[in-house]
Amino acid sequence: MKKIIFILLIGSFSLVAYIVPKQMFYTVPKSWPKPKYDFSKNPLTAEKIELGRALFYDPILSIDNTISCTSCHSQFTAFTHVDHPLSHGIEGKMGTRNSPALINLAWHSLYMWDGAINHLDMQSLAPITHPDEMGSTLEGVMRKLQKSPVYRKLFYKAYGDSTITGQYTLQALSQFMLTLVSSNSKYDSVMAKKAKFTLQEENGYKLFQKNCSSCHTEPLFSDYQFKNNGLPVDPLLKDYGRMKLTKNPQDSLKFKVPTLRNIEFSYPYMHDGRFKRLSDVLTHYAMGIQHSNTLAPELQKPVVLNSVEREELIAFLKTLTDKTFLFNPKFSYPKEVLTK
Amino acid sequence: MFSVSSLFSQTVTVNPVFGNSNLQLDHWYKLKSGDSVKIETLSFYISGIELLNNGTSVWKEKNSFHLIEASQSNAIKIPSGIKYDHIKFNLGIDSITNVSGAMGGDLDPTKGMYWTWQSGYINLKLEGKSNLCATKKNEFQFHLGGYQNPFNSLQTIELSVKENQRIKIVLDMEKVFAQLNLSKQNHVMMPCKEAMIAAKNIAKLFSVQ
């Protein structure tokens, strides 16, 4: 009998050993659409995610080793920055747009406020090389990484090759960013019937569905389309959004609809960060919309709410906060790797 | 048993030339107009190489992406023992590859042939100086690319070739400069109509020597 138990134990251990390497790094939350990212071309592994996480947190990507991705995308603010409307880079230089929150990136088909980037792998190239952001060249970054024993080891662990390439570097950054999935807010618990909205939140949800959800579509809280939401043009920035790229007047003043997940922590708002508070945003949709021929059809009429309704809508938006995302240790600074 | 080398014993070379001689970078050339020009960088992509016989495809290279750099010799292996009368290839990178994320080899973004602020490969890069350019240091810069309509600059080239020979394809830069109007246009740096026109004109200047 003892012998049989022993054999069973051995058997179950080997079963565990067999299952562990097949660990899932990515699961599509229930009832969510299929991700746009093609995982078959860049299959996630623990080592590649770890490498990507180290790169994400390491200022080695900037020309003077002062700025890392997290300088403008910090975890506790849903991977964006707060306190200043426009992002800044090396030597205190200012960019022209508000850094977007890095959430659920596998579901985007185009990146940046104007959709200039067509694939998550290529996204990192823009901040690495922009003179007002990290000011590097990809070739320069490769040289620095190749000289680093820490990175040679990390690349070897991830790719079985200590020769560092642009492809490996960009794919590893994607791997880490792809894991930044936020799907565990109170809203999600309510949808899964594991929690209940308060009456105020419930009323806010109804207002949201009536007034906001045609662009901020559930469950991702964006349709990821490009729309003109009626913001007056900033006379200094003169930013006409997607038109700069397509040279098509139909795209004038169009920017990507951002997700509202973790919106409570991802202030300031809009492509140029002009609004500090959610109440400023609601005021814009009530009385600030500028009409022009590219204005989103959904915003032809202002969204006017009374003061009680405004409180209700904001209470609902706060149910999109996901503390398990904002404080997930898997997404934080990899001190065990970078402080060696 | 055939060895791989005997099956692929023929080569295609693609090289930029200036008139009758091999192109030298950083060398001042005299144009027929009397103006002078110096090429500092010339790189372009050749992709989708295919051999045709009587209008029918008889061989296609797999993963066919080659970065041709003026400073390096470029030899591409093709199979022997196949009848063909034409070679077909693209000048540039197709739209599917352009939207497929980070690639390796000749397509690695560290090759300097990828735009960083707007996704897409630079199909052809030509940089240098000429007295024709009323610019800082008389510089000209052409970064020709764009994979999306209405600014898709990919070009397909088909050339007649004789069988069983070493195929030598050249791009005559003297003719390229006769086409480009450097005094009027010396900076094309993004997908646009001008890039498409320049790419179309340059594609016509490839020939078999």
Side-chain angles (χ1 to χ4, degrees), chain B residues 160-178:
Chain B
S160 167
V161 282
K162 282 194 193 120
E163 254 176 75
N164 299 323
Q165 67 171 31
R166 189 165 170 265
I167 302 174
K168 199 177 171 196
I169 296 171
V170 296
L171 172 63
D172 188 350
M173 295 311 291
E174 190 175 21
K175 289 181 186 157
V176 170
F177 285 110

Side-chain angles (χ1 to χ4, degrees), chain B residues 14-136:
Chain B
V14 184
N15 283 309
V17 295
F18 200 98
N20 293 322
S21 49
N22 286 334
L23 178 74
Q24 273 184 285
L25 292 181
D26 302 315
H27 174 83
W28 282 102
Y29 287 100
K30 207 129 199 113
L31 297 175
K32 289 201 171 105
S33 61
D35 299 294
S36 38
V37 66
K38 179 169 89 169
I39 299 172
E40 292 166 344
T41 306
L42 175 60
S43 313
F44 54 88
Y45 278 112
I46 292 293
S47 68
I49 298 174
E50 200 176 339
L51 296 173
L52 308 171
N53 195 37
N54 276 330
T56 314
S57 172
V58 289
W59 178 76
K60 272 185 192 176
E61 191 186 33
K62 279 180 190 150
N63 278 319
S64 183
F65 302 103
H66 302 274
L67 178 59
I68 309 293
E69 297 190 79
S71 51
Q72 287 163 25
S73 66
N74 309 289
I76 301 156
K77 295 261 184 223
I78 59 165
S80 48
I82 295 179
K83 258 183 175 291
Y84 56 84
D85 53 25
H86 279 78
I87 187 166
K88 192 171 152 184
F89 55 90
N90 296 320
L91 173 60
I93 302 298
D94 65 277
S95 59
I96 291 171
T97 308
N98 261 291
V99 298
S100 298
M103 305 282 173
D106 276 3
L107 294 174
D108 194 295
T110 49
K111 300 283 178 188
M113 295 292 279
Y114 198 90
W115 274 305
T116 57
W117 46 275
Q118 176 182 358
S119 296
Y121 281 96
I122 298 168
N123 293 333
L124 183 142
K125 194 187 251 191
L126 171 64
E127 296 172 349
K129 294 190 175 77
S130 168
N131 66 300
L132 287 163
C133 307
T135 55
K136 192 180 119 201

